[in-house]
Amino acid sequence: MGMACFLPAEPKGEFVKIRRRDLERLTTEVMQLRDFLPKIINGDILGTFQKLDAVESNMEKKEEEIEQLKMDCEHFRARLETAQADCMKEKKEKLDLRQQLNEAKQQLLQQAEYCTEMGAAVCTLLWGVSSNEEAVKTILGGTKAVKFFTITAQTMESFVKSLSEDMKQQDLDSDENQFVLALAGIVTNVAALACGREFLVSSSRELLDTMMHLLGDMKPGLCTKFKVLMLMSLYNVSINLKGLKYISESPGFIPLLWWLLNDPDTEVCLHVLRLLQSVILEPEVLAKSASEMRDTLPFQRIIALSKSRNADLQALAKELLEDLKILEYEA
């Protein structure tokens, strides 16, 4: 048995008895711990410190990013405030412009109403004056005659375009209606004179084209007085051989006459028949239109008009039926 060794133990005693073999084992274990523990602890601590450094580095980056985001946020907030201020300014400017536009529209409307009222008054007076031959010669001799009839064509066209699709009747007392009626009346009176017919055929063909176009655009029964005045103008122009040739050779002229014969107004039909008679009674013009007329002529409609209660329409329709017999010889 080995010798016993003694270690300090309880305060009451100075030594404790332990086997040598146990002491040696304990000593060996202590030495092993002394060798390995620093390696294990140092490795863990080093890894921990490295992770800690990485975490701190990430935190610094995140703080920098957060700071940058704060700066960006402030920048965008400032831009937003500027944009909002600009938006409010633009809204105010738009409101001001809209108010100015409304005021301008109101002024324009007032000016248009004034011009229409003035035009109606002046043209109505001129309509009466144009029944005088010397007055017509004076008008046609002026430098603005061609311009006047060009504006007349444009005004008539604008008036017809303004008519609503479902319009049943026209306000005969309106300034607009009186304006175009007066213009058409002036044209009628001018065309009633030889010098006027020559002027219209030579210098205002646009007006003649416009009237024929408008007569085809307006529905049956609409603006009958306006239609009658335009048909009277065309009839007056047809008294001039050059005028008759120009009108009758216009594209769609014959179909236009058949279309107008369906109008329920007797005055419209009367003046359509007068215009048709001008074509039939001029051999040179009839020769060019005979074939088309013979193939499309609405005999039944003319026969019905020959039985009209209107004496003038009835007489003219009967007379025209006799004149139309010439088409049989032309065949």
Side-chain angles (χ1 to χ4, degrees), residues 4 27 46 51 60 85 96 126 214 241 259 271 319 321 328:
T27 300
L46 181 60
K51 290 179 181 178
E60 289 176 358
D96 292 340
L126 189 58
L214 297 181
L241 180 58
W259 157 259
H271 291 285
E319 185 178 333
L321 287 173
E328 300 176 6

Side-chain angles (χ1 to χ4, degrees), residues 228-241:
V228 167
L229 287 170
M230 288 194 290
L231 285 167
M232 290 174 66
S233 298
L234 293 174
Y235 172 76
N236 287 344
V237 170
S238 74
I239 298 173
N240 179 297
L241 180 58

